[in-house]
Amino acid sequence: MREILSDLVAEQQALDQFLQRINERQWKLPTSAPGWSIKDTVSHLAYAERFAARVLAEGKSVITKAKIADIDAWTALGVAEGREMRYQQVIEWWRNSRADVVDALSRMEGTDRVPWIAGEMSARAFGTLRLMETWAHGLDIKDAMEDLLTYDEEEEDPT
């Protein structure tokens, strides 16, 4: 577990540091996820991490009570929640939620079982899932910023 958690924390910190360099206006930039801004993407990460932390703390009953029939509708709840916040609140929400997940996973063996929306998995696989989620959405965010930088460079190019 130590290795996967080390990788997870490193990926989260790298994305967090990247987010610290963007301004409030840039948090509104669209990403490749249809209808999602950078802020929406971080809200999704925060919402999923908070849910994961609750599952790790309380077990399968959290999933049962959520009655997730449509994953897209469930995901939209987190995005909507984040839209009511300032971007600084969203990043703090994500930081606190992800810390709770890492803390819970750090007390588990890699073979311990974790209930999740798509079914039960090992703690090691769950940590890997959280890493993949951070990495994939981090790419969406970085691509949005790269598109902005590419656009700005094209605007300045006199040819």
Side-chain angles (χ1 to χ4, degrees), residues 19-30 37-40 42-43 86-88 90-91 94 141 145:
L19 292 168
Q20 293 306 305
R21 296 190 307 263
I22 68 175
N23 64 44
E24 183 174 2
R25 182 179 54 84
Q26 292 166 329
W27 276 78
K28 298 173 186 172
L29 289 172
S37 67
I38 289 174
K39 182 179 164 192
D40 294 336
V42 179
S43 296
R86 294 185 344 264
Y87 76 95
Q88 299 95 329
V90 170
I91 200 164
W94 178 51
I141 291 166
M145 290 300 296

Side-chain angles (χ1 to χ4, degrees), residues 5 8-9 12 56 97-107:
L5 291 178
L8 173 58
V9 169
Q12 291 169 332
L56 290 168
S97 298
R98 73 185 202 229
D100 290 343
V101 169
V102 170
D103 179 58
L105 287 174
S106 72
R107 291 182 267 112

Side-chain angles (χ1 to χ4, degrees), residues 57-116:
E58 302 170 35
K60 186 175 172 85
S61 65
V62 174
I63 298 167
T64 303
K65 288 176 191 171
K67 297 179 182 177
I68 302 168
D70 179 344
I71 196 71
D72 291 332
W74 178 78
T75 300
L77 294 172
V79 171
E81 188 172 340
R83 286 181 178 164
E84 299 298 318
M85 300 178 190
R86 294 185 344 264
Y87 76 95
Q88 299 95 329
Q89 292 172 299
V90 170
I91 200 164
E92 285 302 318
W93 176 27
W94 178 51
R95 285 176 181 151
N96 293 329
S97 298
R98 73 185 202 229
D100 290 343
V101 169
V102 170
D103 179 58
L105 287 174
S106 72
R107 291 182 267 112
M108 299 176 81
E109 297 294 323
T111 56
D112 288 347
R113 304 306 290 172
V114 175
W116 192 238

Side-chain angles (χ1 to χ4, degrees), residues 42-60:
V42 179
S43 296
H44 163 66
L45 288 171
Y47 185 76
E49 293 295 347
R50 183 181 65 200
F51 189 80
R54 289 188 55 225
V55 168
L56 290 168
E58 302 170 35
K60 186 175 172 85

Side-chain angles (χ1 to χ4, degrees), residues 116-135:
W116 192 238
I117 299 164
E120 190 176 275
M121 65 185 77
S122 72
R124 183 181 324 281
F126 192 76
T128 303
L129 174 67
R130 303 314 319 139
L131 173 60
M132 179 279 309
E133 185 92 357
T134 304
W135 173 79

